[in-house]
Amino acid sequence: MPSFICISLTKLFPSTAERDGRTLHRTKRGWMWNSFFLLEEWTGSGKQYVGKLHSDMDTEDGSVKYVLTGDGAGTIFEIDEKSGDIHATRRLDREEKSSYTLSAKAINKTSGQVLERASDFIIKIHDINDNEPKFSKDTYVASVPEMSSIGAFVMRVTATDADDESYGNSAKLVYSILQGQPYFSVEPDTGVIRTALPNMIRENREHYQVVIQAKDMAGQMGGLSGTATVNITLLDVNNSPPRFPHSAYHLSTPESAEVGSSVGRIKANDADAGVNAEMWYSVLDGDGQDVFSIVTDATSQEGVITVKKPLDYESKRTYSLRVQVTNTHVDPQFGHLGPFSDTATVRIAVTDVDEPPVFGRSHYIFEVDENAPPGSSVGTVSARDPDATNHLVKYTIDRHTDLERLFNINSNNGTISTLQALDRETSKWHNISVLATEISTSLQTRVPVFIKVQDVNDNAPEFAMYYETFVCENAKAGELIQTISAVDTDEPVIAHQFVFSLSTVNPNFTIYDNEDNTARILTRRGGFSRHEMNSYLLPVVISDNDYPIQSSTSTLTVRVCACDRSRNVQTCSTEALLLSAGLSTGALVAILLCIIILLMIVVLFAALRRQKKKEPLIISKEDVRDNVVSYNDEGGGEEDTQAFDIGTLRNPEVIDTNKMRRDIIPEMLFPFRRISPIKDNTDVRDFINCRLQDNDSDPTAPPYDSLATYAYEGNGSLAESLSSLESSATEGDQDFDYLSHWGPPFKKLADMYIGKETQRET
């Protein structure tokens, strides 16, 4: 039950001395307080009683009123204003609030006079064990090296309790292990987890699950508890040496295996993990240690046996190796568990394969003289079949490496010869590939052949460059005008030595050989003049010293120039000669313009003559008619057989069918159109009608799609206009009788038209 204190206030009343007139001092007694205590989590029915307040001025006549203020006044706590009893209206939790500060005073209910001033007091909440311990995590992860001794530290776990540590044992925790024994233990007071067994081996068991309990009330019965899980992993140490699962291994490889190719793999077992399981393989001894090698695959930790040298089944068929495996990281702490290495024997069998031919060398180098005649021998290559069958070998040249077909090879003995003469200056080396093929199996092998073309002195030396040589008009005899040198594309055994000379004795110049592959050109005389000769051609003979001696003649052009006293060239041009003759620049320009104008006049005159118009056939505008051409002469009519040959008209073979119109530009050339032949003794009328019908049916014959408009036609003619462009009458409305009155020339025409009209009417 909670203890409470009844609070009273003592007051001194006036004594007899006061009443006798003595001065008395009144001393006021204050509230006398103690703290109130209240249990949390009240489970009783009704309101929980806290305590009682009482003033000595309260005569219990109902005139005193108690007033409560402060934390929770009126909500959590209430006071009986008459009796001063304090109650809690609901259950309280100390973990939410552990104490409340309130203030109380006493007043006169009637007058409202304060009988006792407000004073503070505290209500403290007493704790009960209503919170279980809690760990910061539900699951912890920890690790410890394998092979650790007893008591090795693993980790520390900590739990907390929300109850009051200063009141009772509600928050006093004790740790214990519920799962994980006998491998691990926990300290009851600190929660430190340690190993409980020595030399735990990871290879046997790597993971452990430990359950730790924290219990309050110092672990007594009735206390609350909480648990946490700790997953513990044993860390690997190098305590397991590598071991081969077999003492001997058998592998095989074909004799055609290339150097560096893999023969097989072997692997040792190591129970460790990570870097502690890394291994290194090596060959200790054996008859195959020079032919095979072993390397370590860092990913799979396997030993890879590879070919170190070419194999030959016919020479040796089996090899033996003793291979060792060793840990790369050895811990001296566990050296007593060793040795950390192991050995095994590897036997390798070489299998036979049908191999291609083998050349005697990896490459061949031959030399041949340039300009050697076709068929000259260059060298011989040789290949053999390495198999026991020893098949015949045929030789060929890979023409992709000899596109110009400069070489040939004897297919039986491998002798290489030339097909063409070689020029070293074109190519110094020729690289070809020779193929050796087994006749029975068609297996091939190629070998590179390098052919060097030996130099032969077949090129003559020549000038090293183009020389612009000049001599001054005021030059003196023996004066140097040019230094020349030569080059030779040949490569002699000894350095080049050229000899310079003149092909003939020259009265103007001479040459002096410096004997260092250069020569000087000197003058023989002085007084050169551009008026007499503006340039000289000097033939220079250059010879080499190789065998056979080659020489060439190069011409050096020496120009005569005007120089000053210091032999500096001023000019060598033709204009200077003209100026020296007394012509100025202006005069030369005037002469040139006159020549140009004269040429233009000549060209214009020639063009005008070519474009001169011919005399037109129609002289005056009065003679313009539709397709009518007037001639100055007149034929004799049908009876005139001397004017033309009518046989020509009847013979279609002599008619020129390819004549074109001259009044327009033809767009295309029409094909020849055969005209129907005319029988002999045909009347002219029938002949004309036949030709008219042919031309009417000919799509290529005129008139073309064009319209000619004549503004004036037929002036002065008795027949007036013959054109039908302005005629509104048809051919049937016309009367052709008037043609008979025009004379004999139109009589035949009148008979034709009148006869035609008669036939039409009939």
Side-chain angles (χ1 to χ4, degrees):
M1 294 294 294
S3 60
F4 62 91
I5 298 176
C6 182
I7 303 173
S8 63
L9 179 62
T10 302
K11 182 179 180 182
L12 295 177
F13 293 95
S15 62
T16 305
E18 290 180 347
R19 290 194 297 266
D20 293 342
R22 291 178 293 178
T23 304
L24 299 176
H25 297 281
R26 183 177 181 276
T27 302
K28 182 178 181 181
R29 302 287 182 88
W31 297 93
M32 300 190 62
W33 301 102
N34 282 325
S35 297
F36 292 99
F37 294 93
L38 187 67
L39 285 177
E40 68 171 333
E41 302 295 342
W42 168 257
T43 58
S45 60
K47 300 178 181 179
Q48 185 179 5
Y49 182 74
V50 179
K52 183 179 181 63
L53 298 179
H54 185 73
S55 174
D56 59 355
M57 297 185 67
D58 185 4
T59 59
E60 299 184 358
D61 57 358
S63 61
V64 177
K65 179 183 179 181
Y66 294 96
V67 179
L68 184 66
T69 59
D71 293 343
T75 56
I76 300 176
F77 302 100
E78 63 180 17
I79 189 170
D80 190 337
E81 61 182 14
K82 293 180 180 181
S83 63
D85 292 334
I86 302 175
H87 291 84
T89 61
R90 59 183 176 87
R91 294 169 57 182
L92 301 178
D93 188 359
R94 189 199 68 83
E95 285 71 35
E96 293 182 2
K97 191 174 180 64
S98 61
S99 63
Y100 298 85
T101 301
L102 294 97
S103 177
K105 65 180 178 178
I107 61 175
N108 187 283
K109 184 184 298 185
T110 304
S111 63
Q113 181 182 0
V114 178
L115 301 178
E116 296 291 346
R117 290 182 300 178
S119 297
D120 296 336
F121 65 95
I122 298 175
I123 298 177
K124 293 184 178 180
I125 309 301
H126 268 193
D127 182 49
I128 64 173
N129 189 20
D130 60 344
N131 292 281
E132 71 277 2
K134 293 183 178 180
F135 289 92
S136 58
K137 298 180 180 179
D138 293 334
T139 304
Y140 294 86
V141 178
S143 61
V144 63
E146 66 173 329
M147 304 296 292
S148 296
S149 58
I150 297 177
F153 176 82
V154 178
M155 74 171 302
R156 178 178 180 176
V157 294
T158 304
T160 57
D161 196 321
D163 293 327
D164 190 1
E165 297 179 356
S166 62
Y167 181 76
N169 294 326
S170 298
K172 187 175 182 180
L173 305 180
V174 174
Y175 299 93
S176 61
I177 184 168
L178 300 182
Q179 178 182 326
Q181 297 171 334
Y183 307 104
F184 299 94
S185 63
V186 63
E187 294 181 357
D189 298 330
T190 60
V192 175
I193 302 173
R194 298 183 184 275
T195 57
L197 288 179
N199 300 326
M200 287 187 292
I201 300 176
R202 183 198 64 83
E203 289 75 18
N204 295 336
R205 183 178 178 181
E206 183 177 3
H207 301 288
Y208 296 85
Q209 190 176 73
V210 178
V211 179
I212 303 297
Q213 181 190 64
K215 189 174 184 181
D216 59 11
M217 299 299 292
Q220 299 176 3
M221 291 185 62
L224 303 177
S225 63
T227 60
T229 302
V230 182
N231 294 324
I232 302 175
T233 302
L234 294 183
L235 299 179
D236 184 62
V237 297
N238 194 5
N239 61 333
S240 299
R243 293 290 180 263
F244 282 110
H246 307 286
S247 60
Y249 295 86
H250 297 273
L251 303 174
S252 63
T253 182
E255 63 174 334
S256 60
E258 298 180 356
V259 174
S261 61
S262 174
V263 176
R265 292 171 176 254
I266 60 175
K267 185 177 183 180
N269 297 327
D270 192 330
D272 294 321
V275 295
N276 297 317
E278 292 182 359
M279 296 173 286
W280 175 68
Y281 297 87
S282 60
V283 177
L284 295 180
D285 52 36
D287 59 357
Q289 63 178 344
D290 295 333
V291 182
F292 299 95
S293 62
I294 188 169
V295 294
T296 303
D297 188 338
T299 303
S300 62
Q301 293 298 310
E302 294 177 318
V304 182
I305 299 176
T306 59
V307 179
K308 191 176 181 180
K309 291 183 178 180
L311 305 175
D312 187 8
Y313 172 82
E314 288 73 23
S315 300
K316 188 173 179 61
R317 303 183 180 182
T318 59
Y319 296 89
S320 178
L321 300 173
R322 192 162 70 95
V323 179
Q324 182 185 52
V325 61
T326 306
N327 273 137
T328 56
H329 301 87
V330 179
D331 192 344
Q333 180 181 354
F334 306 101
H336 62 281
L337 301 176
F340 288 84
S341 62
D342 195 14
T343 59
T345 301
V346 180
R347 293 182 176 88
I348 303 173
V350 180
T351 59
D352 186 28
V353 295
D354 196 358
E355 298 176 276
V358 177
F359 282 94
R361 303 179 193 173
S362 60
H363 64 279
Y364 292 85
I365 299 177
F366 298 129
E367 295 180 352
V368 62
D369 292 338
E370 69 171 328
N371 298 328
S376 300
S377 176
V378 176
T380 301
V381 298
S382 176
R384 63 177 182 84
D385 182 7
D387 298 322
T389 55
N390 194 17
H391 295 132
L392 294 178
V393 176
K394 179 180 68 174
Y395 301 94
T396 56
I397 293 178
D398 185 356
R399 290 304 174 185
H400 292 90
T401 61
D402 185 26
L403 297 177
E404 298 179 357
R405 303 186 68 86
L406 300 177
F407 303 96
N408 189 27
I409 189 170
N410 189 304
S411 60
N412 296 323
N413 58 22
T415 300
I416 301 174
S417 59
T418 61
L419 289 175
Q420 303 178 27
L422 305 179
D423 186 4
R424 188 200 65 85
E425 286 71 32
T426 303
S427 179
K428 298 181 181 179
W429 287 89
H430 296 275
N431 304 329
I432 63 174
S433 294
V434 174
L435 302 176
T437 307
E438 286 187 15
I439 296 178
S440 60
T441 62
S442 300
L443 295 176
Q444 285 186 343
T445 303
R446 71 173 55 232
V447 67
V449 178
F450 307 101
I451 302 174
K452 182 180 180 181
V453 181
Q454 295 281 27
D455 184 48
V456 174
N457 191 28
D458 58 346
N459 291 280
E462 57 186 11
F463 281 152
M465 58 180 294
Y466 174 75
Y467 294 100
E468 293 185 359
T469 307
F470 65 90
V471 61
C472 294
E473 290 182 312
N474 55 357
K476 298 180 179 179
E479 186 173 316
L480 174 65
I481 62 172
Q482 185 68 61
T483 299
I484 59 175
S485 61
V487 292
D488 194 340
T489 56
D490 293 323
E491 291 183 357
V493 179
I494 307 176
H496 285 296
Q497 183 63 46
F498 302 127
V499 177
F500 299 87
S501 62
L502 297 179
S503 60
T504 59
V505 177
N506 193 293
N508 302 308
F509 306 97
T510 185
I511 190 169
Y512 180 80
D513 193 342
N514 296 327
E515 297 183 355
D516 59 354
N517 294 337
T518 63
R520 292 177 291 171
I521 306 298
L522 305 176
T523 58
R524 278 183 175 270
R525 65 178 181 84
F528 293 93
S529 175
R530 286 178 294 165
H531 296 284
E532 299 177 358
M533 182 72 69
N534 60 357
S535 63
Y536 295 89
L537 300 180
L538 186 63
V540 179
V541 179
I542 309 174
S543 305
D544 57 21
N545 63 338
D546 207 348
Y547 180 81
I549 296 177
Q550 298 289 337
S551 63
S552 66
T553 301
S554 300
T555 302
L556 186 68
T557 302
V558 182
R559 300 174 60 191
V560 181
C561 301
C563 305
D564 56 12
R565 295 181 179 180
S566 300
R567 297 296 189 269
N568 296 321
V569 176
Q570 292 181 338
T571 180
C572 300
S573 62
T574 307
E575 180 183 356
L577 291 174
L578 296 176
L579 290 176
S580 62
L583 294 178
S584 62
T585 304
L588 292 176
V589 172
I591 294 174
L592 184 60
L593 289 176
C594 291
I595 294 174
I596 293 174
I597 293 173
L598 183 60
L599 290 176
M600 292 177 62
I601 293 174
V602 172
V603 171
L604 182 60
F605 180 75
L608 290 176
R609 291 197 60 182
R610 288 184 179 181
Q611 296 181 359
K612 186 177 180 181
K613 296 182 179 180
K614 296 182 179 180
E615 183 179 355
L617 295 176
I618 302 175
I619 300 177
S620 65
K621 64 180 181 179
E622 297 181 357
D623 296 328
V624 177
R625 299 178 179 89
D626 280 342
N627 299 327
V628 177
V629 178
S630 63
Y631 297 90
N632 292 330
D633 58 336
E634 183 177 355
E638 296 179 3
E639 291 78 8
D640 187 2
T641 58
Q642 302 299 327
F644 61 94
D645 186 5
I646 194 171
T648 303
L649 298 176
R650 296 177 179 177
N651 188 3
E653 300 297 332
V654 300
I655 299 176
D656 187 3
T657 60
N658 293 327
K659 290 185 178 181
M660 299 295 174
R661 290 184 59 185
R662 295 184 179 181
D663 57 332
I664 62 171
I665 299 176
E667 296 182 355
M668 62 177 293
L669 295 176
F670 298 103
F672 173 77
R673 183 172 178 271
R674 175 67 64 179
I675 300 174
S676 58
I678 303 301
K679 299 181 179 180
D680 294 337
N681 301 322
T682 302
D683 188 72
V684 175
R685 177 177 180 176
D686 295 334
F687 167 76
I688 294 176
N689 289 334
C690 182
R691 289 289 179 265
L692 180 61
Q693 183 179 1
D694 291 340
N695 284 275
D696 289 340
S697 62
D698 185 5
T700 63
Y704 298 95
D705 293 337
S706 61
L707 177 63
T709 301
Y710 298 90
Y712 183 81
E713 185 179 13
N715 186 23
S717 173
L718 296 178
E720 298 180 353
S721 175
L722 298 180
S723 174
S724 62
L725 295 178
E726 297 178 358
S727 176
S728 60
T730 61
E731 185 179 355
D733 299 333
Q734 297 182 15
D735 185 11
F736 299 99
D737 294 334
Y738 61 90
L739 294 177
S740 301
H741 305 288
W742 285 3
F746 296 93
K747 181 177 178 52
K748 188 65 177 178
L749 184 61
D751 294 338
M752 292 174 57
Y753 277 90
I754 293 173
K756 183 176 182 181
E757 286 294 321
T758 302
Q759 294 176 2
R760 184 180 300 174
E761 291 174 359
T762 303

